[in-house]
Amino acid sequence: MKEQLEGIGSEVTLEDFKVKDNVVVLIFDDFKLKILPETYEEFKFKLGTVYKKDCLSQVLFINDKYLAEKYLISKASKHMYSVFEAKKVLEKKFDDMSNDSIEAAIADLIKSDVLDDTKYAKQYKDFFDDNYYGKYFITNYLSLKQVDPKIINDLVFDQKLEEVKGQKYFELIKNKYVSSNIIRQKKKIYDCLLKRGFGTNISSSIVDSIKVDPVQEEKKLIKSYLKCKKKYENNKLLDSRNINDKVISHLVHEGYNYDDVMKVIDLDKNGDIKND
């Protein structure tokens, strides 16, 4: 809006004003200026009064501040923002607005409690707690939103609640992260728990609690072994030793324990495995 003042003289006279669509149009002797009703009331404009250019620059500064405040208040009614987020939202919406006007709007919104990083951190901690996110996800999220480290450090994370959240999240994902063997399954779940923000102790404890049926795991390994063996036996370029090395490498890469693989190979050599 400052461009509107570039072509005027040092002083202008207010000749008239009109109210239209919740905007006040100030009509000066050689140009018009649109402002909010709040700005009009603050400066108490009078017809026939001469206004200096510097005064009108201040009018635009205050008007921009009000514009930013009104916009953010409307947005904040649906979504709570950190101070950092609020500034980014305003900079994106009003890319031609001065940084001073945005900073002034932010300062006013902090004073009026529209922006409060302490409340913001508490609200999002409660939200993430309810949705089974761990401590480290929550603190990293707040750090990315540039919440003051002191505010983050003052949040209380109860160890028992962290364990409960971790267990509940595990119950949600345990049937999703499956694999042909228990080792791979455990790794997938462990990685997922870490990504969700749970520490290594909680993640390890949950993964270690997964019950393993040795008989079923051996059956899975034998099935994988026979499938892999058949695949490499069809390769005429490989001899028996190379086939054996390929099978071992493949199964270990899948997540099977090396010693368990070797036991299955010995069973096969002794004729104790039926190749159906």
Side-chain angles (χ1 to χ4, degrees):
M1 293 179 69
K2 288 185 177 180
E3 292 80 3
Q4 295 175 268
L5 303 182
E6 291 180 358
I8 70 171
S10 60
E11 295 181 345
V12 289
T13 302
L14 180 61
E15 295 183 345
D16 197 3
F17 71 91
K18 295 180 180 179
V19 179
K20 183 179 180 181
D21 298 330
N22 203 32
V23 171
V24 179
V25 181
L26 301 178
I27 303 172
F28 294 93
D29 43 22
D30 57 357
F31 83 110
K32 297 178 181 179
L33 190 64
K34 293 181 180 180
I35 60 174
L36 295 171
E38 295 91 331
T39 311
Y40 180 83
E41 290 296 328
E42 177 164 339
F43 284 88
K44 304 184 185 304
F45 289 97
K46 295 181 181 180
L47 296 179
T49 301
V50 176
Y51 292 92
K52 293 185 177 181
K53 188 174 183 177
D54 289 345
C55 175
L56 295 182
S57 294
Q58 183 65 15
V59 169
L60 290 182
F61 169 79
I62 296 299
N63 195 66
D64 280 350
K65 180 174 76 76
Y66 283 149
L67 276 172
E69 289 176 12
K70 284 170 69 71
Y71 177 75
L72 198 63
I73 288 171
S74 69
K75 298 283 285 183
S77 64
K78 299 178 181 179
H79 176 88
M80 193 172 187
Y81 294 97
S82 69
V83 171
F84 170 75
E85 286 179 306
K87 186 175 180 181
K88 292 300 179 184
V89 166
L90 293 178
E91 288 174 345
K92 183 177 181 179
K93 175 64 178 178
F94 304 104
D95 55 359
D96 59 343
M97 188 177 289
S98 73
N99 188 63
D100 288 342
S101 292
I102 290 177
E103 290 289 355
I106 294 291
D108 280 357
L109 293 170
I110 291 173
K111 289 179 182 177
S112 60
D113 289 333
V114 174
L115 295 176
D116 186 326
D117 275 1
T118 299
K119 291 180 181 178
Y120 174 89
K122 178 65 169 59
Q123 183 187 68
Y124 271 90
K125 179 183 181 300
D126 290 344
F127 170 80
F128 286 127
D129 281 343
D130 291 342
N131 288 276
Y132 314 139
Y133 285 85
K135 171 184 176 180
Y136 299 106
F137 181 97
I138 297 171
T139 55
N140 287 337
Y141 177 89
L142 295 174
S143 293
L144 287 173
K145 302 304 179 181
Q146 297 197 12
V147 174
D148 189 325
K150 185 179 184 307
I151 293 175
I152 299 175
N153 291 335
D154 285 344
L155 293 173
V156 177
F157 291 91
D158 181 79
Q159 181 65 16
K160 289 184 178 179
L161 176 59
E162 290 297 299
E163 292 171 0
V164 169
K165 289 190 299 180
Q167 187 62 41
K168 287 184 176 179
Y169 182 61
F170 165 67
E171 294 297 328
L172 290 177
I173 67 168
K174 65 180 182 180
N175 294 326
K176 178 180 178 182
Y177 291 91
V178 295
S179 180
S180 59
N181 63 84
I182 195 66
I183 295 176
R184 176 171 288 188
Q185 181 186 18
K186 284 186 173 184
K187 183 178 186 307
K188 286 182 178 181
I189 292 173
Y190 179 80
D191 290 344
C192 194
L193 287 166
L194 289 181
K195 187 177 179 180
R196 195 75 173 188
F198 297 102
T200 55
N201 290 340
I202 291 176
S203 300
S204 296
S205 177
I206 290 172
V207 167
D208 290 343
S209 71
I210 298 174
K211 301 299 181 183
V212 179
D213 184 338
V215 175
Q216 291 299 320
E217 288 306 306
E218 185 180 63
K219 287 181 178 179
K220 290 179 182 178
L221 174 54
I222 290 173
K223 183 178 179 179
S224 295
Y225 166 74
L226 292 175
K227 181 179 178 181
C228 186
K229 178 185 174 185
K230 182 178 181 180
K231 171 186 172 182
Y232 288 115
E233 283 180 339
N234 290 332
N235 189 332
K236 304 301 183 182
L237 298 177
L238 298 176
D239 57 30
S240 58
R241 181 176 178 179
N242 286 332
I243 290 173
N244 205 50
D245 290 342
K246 290 282 188 181
V247 169
I248 294 170
S249 177
H250 180 89
L251 293 174
V252 170
H253 179 73
E254 277 195 8
Y256 290 107
N257 181 275
Y258 175 82
D259 291 336
D260 292 336
V261 173
M262 295 307 298
K263 287 178 183 178
V264 169
I265 291 176
D266 288 339
L267 286 174
D268 190 27
K269 286 180 179 178
N270 295 331
D272 294 328
I273 295 178
K274 293 182 179 181
N275 191 343
D276 297 329

